[in-house]
Amino acid sequence: MNYIFYFLIVISIIAGAINGRLQDVVNSILTGAELSVKVAFSLIGIMAFWLGIMKIAEKSGLINIIAKLIKPITKKLFNEIPGDSTSIGDIAMNFSANAFGLTNAATPMGIKAMEELQKLNTDKSSASNAMCMLLAMNTAGFQLIPATVIAVLVGIGYKNPTEIIAPTLIVTTIAFISAIALAKIFQRFWAPQKSDNGDNE
Amino acid sequence: MLQYIMNLISIWALPAILILILTLGLVKKVPLYEAFTDGAKDGFKVAVNIIPYLVAIIVAISMFRASGIIEYIGTYLSPILNHFNIPTDTIPIMIVRSLSGSAALGIFSDIAHNLGPESYATKLSAIMVGSSETTFYVLAVYFGSVGISKLRYALIVGLLADIIGIVAAIAVCSCFF
């Protein structure tokens, strides 16, 4: 990540200078910083709501029930997590919310799962295998119905917008499975680094 | 019929989850209001925690987009993609997809409005946008919330999966349309 961060900023400045868009690049620092805070603050309300609901789900034992139901799958994907951790249930909730396109609900659930995984993590600044797996599942963006895209297609008068669902589902499934497989492969070769070494991808 | 079921699911998924969680909580005698407010307290904390990570990533990506480098990569890629009969209009989507969800959706809307429903580019970009999640954003929010700054292989996996997704989208789209 250190290199990517460096690359994005330095290359942007150089390319901006060559293209005569240096002023735009400089301006984008301000708009980008403003946007980040806007994004974060816009999350507060919905985050609080779902974290509250998730707390109820946790106390009622629902999260544990879900965790037990999907144990056969998660045991393979998250083999380091002890079976009684509530994180499994949170991960399952996060996945289902994503699949149904409930992004607003999925993010707080995923964050809650991350917090549970962080409790089990030995080096608090470095991502554990389980965290990387959860992230891989989320960056692949598995979704049954691409609602936003369909809305745009309906907007331009697309005759049969639902015909886009099947190909999209195939692609998203391929990406999702590859992400999980890649995470599994990488975790074998990419041992967690010692905490005194600051540099990592 | 399919559309009807789809609508039903997308409208009812969220309310159904709420009813299920609250009812089960009531049955199990969970102090609902207390538990809710207790959990909700973390909302502000989480949002504030992710700000540094979001600023780092969103500023870097905004600069990258403003620099015009994406257009530059596009002109480089277009002869190669032309060779495979891939519409060059979709190139910005391929590049932006992992960086910014709103930008990808914006470009997709542009393509859809300018080229119309019959265009192959509209279909391909619809599949590309619909099948992906913004890798950098997810990374900042999820790892930022728990203070993880050493990502290990997480970013590489996310980006590789995105590339596989693009290739799959191109292949699947040519099979379907």
Side-chain angles (χ1 to χ4, degrees):
Chain A
M1 191 63 201
N2 294 330
Y3 296 116
I4 290 180
F5 189 62
Y6 177 86
F7 170 85
L8 280 176
I9 291 181
V10 174
I11 295 287
S12 303
I13 292 172
I14 295 170
I18 295 169
N19 291 340
R21 290 167 73 167
L22 196 57
Q23 192 58 45
D24 292 341
V25 174
V26 173
N27 290 343
S28 71
I29 297 175
L30 183 67
T31 49
E34 260 178 18
L35 178 66
S36 333
V37 176
K38 254 185 225 160
V39 169
F41 272 70
S42 69
L43 283 173
I44 295 177
I46 194 71
M47 194 88 85
F49 177 77
W50 280 105
L51 288 176
I53 293 291
M54 287 295 282
K55 194 71 163 185
I56 296 173
E58 190 189 315
K59 290 213 160 158
S60 68
L62 180 64
I63 306 269
N64 275 327
I65 296 169
I66 296 172
K68 284 206 183 92
L69 284 177
I70 62 149
K71 211 174 168 184
I73 305 165
T74 51
K75 229 182 149 63
K76 287 217 169 71
L77 294 183
F78 298 91
N79 44 8
E80 295 160 1
I81 304 177
D84 56 344
S85 170
T86 52
S87 59
I88 297 286
D90 292 331
I91 291 166
M93 297 281 282
N94 166 255
F95 172 74
S96 337
N98 268 328
F100 286 112
L102 308 172
T103 321
N104 283 335
T107 309
M109 288 165 182
I111 286 172
K112 184 132 180 313
M114 275 292 175
E115 284 172 349
E116 296 295 330
L117 294 180
Q118 180 72 316
K119 285 180 194 163
L120 304 169
N121 194 4
T122 43
D123 177 2
K124 301 292 181 203
S125 67
S126 178
S128 66
N129 288 344
M131 290 170 153
C132 291
M133 178 60 79
L134 176 61
L135 203 85
M137 288 170 63
N138 274 280
T139 53
F142 182 77
Q143 200 181 352
L144 293 172
I145 296 159
T148 338
V149 166
I150 291 177
V152 173
L153 291 179
V154 170
I156 59 162
Y158 199 98
K159 264 179 252 141
N160 187 12
T162 44
E163 72 180 8
I164 217 77
I165 294 176
T168 307
L169 193 58
I170 294 172
V171 173
T172 192
T173 307
I174 292 172
F176 184 71
I177 291 170
S178 335
I180 289 174
L182 285 168
K184 270 281 166 204
I185 294 166
F186 272 89
Q187 83 177 42
R188 290 197 186 171
F189 303 107
W190 209 307
Q193 283 206 344
K194 297 279 180 296
S195 47
D196 53 274
N197 189 343
D199 187 65
N200 210 329
E201 199 66 19
Chain B
M1 187 60 198
L2 187 64
Q3 196 149 15
Y4 177 73
I5 296 171
M6 248 178 55
N7 280 335
L8 211 65
I9 291 174
S10 59
I11 293 173
W12 272 101
L14 206 140
I17 292 175
L18 284 180
I19 292 173
L20 174 73
I21 291 176
L22 289 175
T23 313
L24 194 74
L26 197 69
V27 171
K28 293 272 170 117
K29 300 200 165 51
V30 175
L32 295 182
Y33 186 64
E34 234 181 282
F36 179 88
T37 46
D38 186 33
K41 257 184 231 156
D42 289 338
F44 187 76
K45 210 179 69 197
V46 168
V48 172
N49 280 349
I50 60 174
I51 289 179
Y53 301 86
L54 277 181
V55 170
I57 284 179
I58 292 183
V59 167
I61 288 171
S62 308
M63 291 173 76
F64 190 69
R65 286 182 52 208
S67 70
I69 210 165
I70 291 174
E71 291 87 333
Y72 185 74
I73 299 173
T75 51
Y76 241 82
L77 276 179
S78 63
I80 306 167
L81 296 190
N82 265 333
H83 188 73
F84 292 100
N85 285 326
I86 300 157
T88 48
D89 298 283
T90 58
I91 294 173
I93 289 193
M94 298 180 200
I95 304 170
V96 154
R97 207 169 79 123
S98 314
L99 304 175
S100 160
S102 54
L105 194 64
I107 300 170
F108 164 60
S109 303
D110 276 351
I111 292 175
H113 281 281
N114 293 335
L115 302 178
E118 297 309 317
S119 149
Y120 186 71
T122 301
K123 288 167 184 159
L124 179 58
S125 50
I127 294 172
M128 281 185 185
V129 172
S131 64
S132 76
E133 184 56 78
T134 321
T135 299
F136 278 91
Y137 173 76
V138 172
L139 199 86
V141 171
Y142 280 50
F143 279 178
S145 67
V146 288
I148 295 282
S149 52
K150 292 173 200 158
L151 317 175
R152 293 176 64 211
Y153 51 86
L155 180 62
I156 296 177
V157 166
L159 292 179
L160 283 176
D162 284 344
I163 294 171
I164 293 172
I166 289 172
V167 175
I170 293 167
V172 171
C173 191
S174 67
C175 291
F176 270 81
F177 302 108

